[in-house]
Amino acid sequence: MKKWVLLILTVLLCAGCGGRGMSAEVWIEDHIPQDGTETLNLPAFPGVTFTYTSATGKVSAERGEETKDLFTAGPFGALSVCNVYLCDLTGDGKPELCATVSLGSGIAHRFVIVEDYASCASYKLANRDFFHDYVLEMRDGALQVVESKNKGILWTDSPNPEVSCWPLALIQDRDGILRLTLEK
């Protein structure tokens, strides 16, 4: 069964652009029990096991004796991973791990981090002035970013939140540096 799931996952990841936005595969959403873990092995990264632990909200990559924490905030504090999607944003044939992460408690700041494990690079889509939250979602089979102009509005029961929805993209800027952005 697992081999079929990996085969289907690989075919979906290689499908590329579908409609408005990139096709992607869901790895982690809110379905894992509070004390659960979820592991993933991808053919693109032989010998690497990606592990999500719901009790801590953390994702790591293990290769032999080496473990690397993914989706870290550096000096900004502890992050909690809300969801993870697999999508080849760079076009190198290997999926990036794209996540919505949450920083803080109470009305937390939510933003997007993309881990390009193949290139050991990380990209962030955030508005540090706390007037925008960004959350990844699958819509019509494509990975989209839902943008909120009001901090915390996406994860409340407020009716008619003021949001927009855009495809996620890695774009090279005029200095040749890849930047995570909304494809408006």
Side-chain angles (χ1 to χ4, degrees):
M1 176 66 175
K2 285 185 178 184
K3 289 181 183 180
W4 281 108
V5 171
L6 278 176
L7 176 62
I8 292 168
L9 177 65
T10 303
V11 169
L12 288 172
L13 289 172
C14 295
C17 192
R20 189 155 155 76
M22 297 294 289
S23 63
E25 182 67 27
V26 176
W27 178 34
I28 302 298
E29 282 190 326
D30 296 327
H31 67 278
I32 296 177
Q34 189 64 20
D35 61 349
T37 60
E38 187 81 18
T39 60
L40 177 69
N41 297 95
L42 295 168
F45 305 109
V48 177
T49 300
F50 297 98
T51 303
Y52 170 79
T53 306
S54 61
T56 61
K58 303 291 180 206
V59 175
S60 62
E62 278 185 43
R63 177 180 223 129
E65 298 294 316
E66 181 184 336
T67 300
K68 177 185 177 188
D69 288 331
L70 304 177
F71 309 113
T72 58
F76 301 116
L79 291 179
S80 179
V81 176
C82 304
N83 58 34
V84 181
Y85 299 91
L86 306 169
C87 183
D88 184 9
L89 292 172
T90 61
D92 66 357
K94 297 180 179 183
E96 281 70 51
L97 284 82
C98 308
T100 301
V101 295
S102 178
L103 174 64
S105 60
I107 299 177
H109 178 52
R110 290 177 179 84
F111 53 97
V112 173
I113 295 180
V114 171
E115 292 281 350
D116 182 356
Y117 188 79
S119 298
C120 297
S122 182
Y123 307 96
K124 182 167 64 168
L125 177 65
N127 189 333
R128 293 299 302 162
D129 65 9
F130 291 105
F131 290 116
H132 290 82
D133 274 353
Y134 299 101
V135 175
L136 291 172
E137 288 185 4
M138 288 293 288
R139 292 198 175 175
D140 298 324
L143 187 60
Q144 305 284 312
V145 178
V146 177
E147 176 184 21
S148 169
K149 297 190 190 295
N150 301 311
K151 181 183 167 208
I153 197 82
L154 292 173
W155 296 73
T156 67
D157 293 327
S158 296
N160 304 318
E162 200 175 318
V163 297
S164 57
C165 185
W166 303 97
L168 184 64
L170 271 174
I171 305 289
Q172 196 171 48
D173 69 11
R174 62 178 169 227
D175 297 324
I177 299 170
L178 282 176
R179 305 254 184 228
L180 191 61
T181 187
L182 300 176
E183 194 178 285
K184 294 183 178 181

